Amino acid sequence: MLNIEKTASSNPNNPCTFTVTLSAEGSSILTGIPLYLVFVVDATSSMGTQDINNNTATRFQVTAQAIQGFLDIIFSEEYAAIEKNIALVTFGNGARVHVTQADGQGQFSGLVNPAPSTLPAGGGAPVEDYYIGANAYSPSQAATALANFQSVADKTEFFYQDENDILSMVNNISRYSNTNAQSGLLLANELLEGVPEHAHKLIIFITDGESAASSTFYAYYNEANIPAHIHAASLVQEGALLYAVYNGIQALVTSEDLVREGIDPDNYDPATFTPLQIVRLKLRALSRSVEFFEATAGQLTVNPFAGEWHNFDGRNADNITRVPSVPNMLDDVTLNGYYWSNGRIGFAANYYYYEQSPFFAKVNGIWQYS
C-alpha cells in the first residue's frame, strides 16, 4: 500500500509551507499484478528557484530527491517480485513524455526533440533531455509532437523497468516555461489508457503550485483557425439590433460592445465602422456564442503537447473582456479572442473550459477570471 501524507502550515514569514511524506507498506495485494506508474512533474521556471524549506536546493532538486526516495522504496527487496513499469511526464506550457538517451538515439530517434541539449529545470549546466513534445510556442511543433506520440502504437514502450534509467531521465528534465498542469495529467492519462487493463495504475503529481494565472485549467486543441471563421462572419443590422452572423449563427452585438469601440449605440452606421472595429465587434459577439464554439471547435482533438503564452500579458491591454486592443487576426502570436493558445485557436478552445472552471464567472455575458 502506498501512503501519501501532506501537511501544510502558514505564518507571516512563510505563508504557504508544505511537507509531503511518502511511505509504502505491505505487498500482498500487488503480488502478481504489474504496476504502471507515471510521474507527472512540474518543469517550469519557478521550479528552479530556492525551496522554501531548504537553503541549498531548488524546488526541482528537492523534487528529484523525493522521486529517488520513492523509487528506492518500490525497487527495494520487499517489492522485488512486483513487475514495475514507470513513465516520466513533465509539463510546462504543454506536456512532454521522456525517454532514455538510448531510446532517444535509437527506436525513437525520429520522434524526439531534435536538440536535446538544453537548460535544466533545476538550474545548472545544460542537460540532454530526450522527449516527445514541443520546445516552442509553435502550433506546428505541438501538432507534430501529438502525431509522433500517436505513431507509437504500444504505449507501454514509454514505461521503463530500471531505476537508474528513470533517475537519469529525471536528472535531465529541462525547463519548459509556463504552468499548464492539466496538459501533464492529460498525457499521463493517455499513457495509462494504453497499458494492460488488469494492472495497478498510479499517477504521482509533483508541482510547486505556482501557475500562470488560469493556465492550469486549460487543455488545448488542434488548430481550429478561428481567425478565418471570424473573417468569414459578417455584421448584419436588423432594425435597431446589430448581429455578428456566421453560417446562420447570430450573435448579438450589445450596446456595451459598441460603447467599448467608441460607437454611440443609439446612433451608428455600420458602413462607417473601421476594419478594426468590425473585427472586434464580431469577435466580442461571437465569443459569447455557444453555437459558434460548437460549430468551429466543438469536435477538435485535445492536444496535451500544445502551448500557451502567459494569460495576462502586456499585449492584452483590454483585460476586462480579454479582447486585445489591436487584434491582428492573422498573426499566430497575437491574442485573438480571450487568450492566445495554440496559435489560432483563441477563445473558442478555451470557452469550454471557462464553463467547467470554478475560477471563472460570467458577468453580463462576459467571462471573467475570479
Side-chain angles (χ1 to χ4, degrees), residues 179 211-218 308 311-312 339 354 359-360 369:
T179 308
S211 173
S214 59
S215 63
T216 300
F217 304 95
Y218 287 103
E308 177 192 330
N311 289 324
F312 304 101
Y339 298 97
Y354 285 157
F359 292 85
F360 285 87
Y369 185 69

Side-chain angles (χ1 to χ4, degrees), residues 95 111 132-134 139-151 303 305-306:
L111 305 179
I132 292 178
S140 61
Q141 284 196 19
T144 299
L146 180 62
N148 288 343
F149 176 75
Q150 292 175 335
S151 72
N303 184 354
F305 294 97

Side-chain angles (χ1 to χ4, degrees), residues 170-190:
V170 169
N171 291 331
N172 286 329
I173 289 174
S174 58
R175 187 172 298 166
Y176 193 22
S177 194
N178 307 338
T179 308
N180 173 19
Q182 189 174 19
S183 62
L185 292 171
L186 285 169
L187 182 54
N189 184 66
E190 289 196 28

Side-chain angles (χ1 to χ4, degrees), residues 36 38 85-87 97-99 108 132 145-161 187-196 305:
Y36 282 83
V38 184
N85 306 273
I86 300 173
V97 56
H98 298 256
V99 300
F108 297 136
I132 292 178
L146 180 62
N148 288 343
F149 176 75
Q150 292 175 335
S151 72
V152 181
D154 183 3
K155 295 301 185 287
T156 62
E157 293 185 26
F158 294 116
F159 289 81
Y160 293 89
Q161 295 74 41
L187 182 54
N189 184 66
E190 289 196 28
L191 284 168
L192 290 175
E193 285 182 350
V195 307
F305 294 97

Side-chain angles (χ1 to χ4, degrees), residues 126-142:
V127 293
E128 289 204 343
D129 185 10
Y130 293 85
Y131 57 82
I132 292 178
N135 56 13
Y137 296 105
S138 166
S140 61
Q141 284 196 19

Side-chain angles (χ1 to χ4, degrees), residues 19-57:
T19 300
V20 178
T21 303
L22 296 172
S23 63
E25 60 184 41
S27 59
S28 59
I29 61 171
L30 295 178
T31 301
I33 301 177
L35 168 66
Y36 282 83
L37 163 66
V38 184
F39 284 106
V40 180
V41 181
D42 188 336
T44 58
S45 298
S46 62
M47 292 291 283
T49 60
Q50 183 175 311
D51 179 66
I52 195 170
N53 297 313
N54 194 309
N55 293 327
T56 59

